[in-house]
Amino acid sequence: QVQLVESGGGTVQAGDSLRLSCAASGGSFSTYAMGWFRQAPGKEREFVATISMRNSTYYADFVQGRFAVSRDNAKSTAYLQMNSVKLEDAAVYYCAADPMGAPSVYAYMYDYWGQGTQVTVSS
């Protein structure tokens, strides 16, 4: 039922910024927790950030203050602001939705996933 579409990926120079968007349709976005995950070739999918329906946030340790997750319920869209991008940030980034509304670092807690958007980092 719920459709998630990521956008905003592309090539960014190390040290620069990028904002990813996740547009949701077909569900009650305001009651969902939204998560961001990423996966580089040959590596495991890893948790990046999440925001609950009440705007509580959690971040992976590697973010170290560089990223910020937010949501705009009026637009049914979640965002991942990526600042001071590093080479190791290159990956396909996925957004996910959890109808339970609580933030989680576990991928299996999320019921809906987008197709991903590619982030490439150059130096």
Side-chain angles (χ1 to χ4, degrees):
Q1 182 182 8
V2 176
Q3 299 284 337
L4 303 176
V5 180
E6 301 94 338
S7 62
T11 301
V12 60
Q13 189 172 21
D16 285 354
S17 298
L18 195 67
R19 189 180 73 165
L20 307 183
S21 298
C22 176
S25 62
S28 182
F29 178 83
S30 64
T31 66
Y32 293 174
M34 299 298 297
W36 287 95
F37 294 79
R38 71 187 188 185
Q39 187 167 23
K43 297 186 179 297
E44 297 180 351
R45 180 175 55 182
E46 63 182 350
F47 168 77
V48 177
T50 184
I51 182 168
S52 76
M53 65 177 181
R54 302 192 185 281
N55 289 330
S56 297
T57 58
Y58 292 91
Y59 296 94
D61 290 342
F62 61 75
V63 169
Q64 298 181 351
R66 298 181 298 120
F67 296 177
V69 61
S70 62
R71 65 193 299 157
D72 185 339
N73 289 337
K75 297 181 178 180
S76 295
T77 301
Y79 303 95
L80 182 68
Q81 179 67 44
M82 305 169 60
N83 298 323
S84 301
V85 172
K86 301 177 179 180
L87 289 174
E88 54 263 40
D89 292 325
V92 176
Y93 283 72
Y94 300 90
C95 70
D98 176 11
M100 295 299 295
S104 178
V105 304
Y106 303 114
Y108 67 80
M109 292 297 295
Y110 295 88
D111 292 333
Y112 306 104
W113 293 82
Q115 292 296 308
T117 186
Q118 177 73 54
V119 173
T120 302
V121 183
S122 62
S123 63

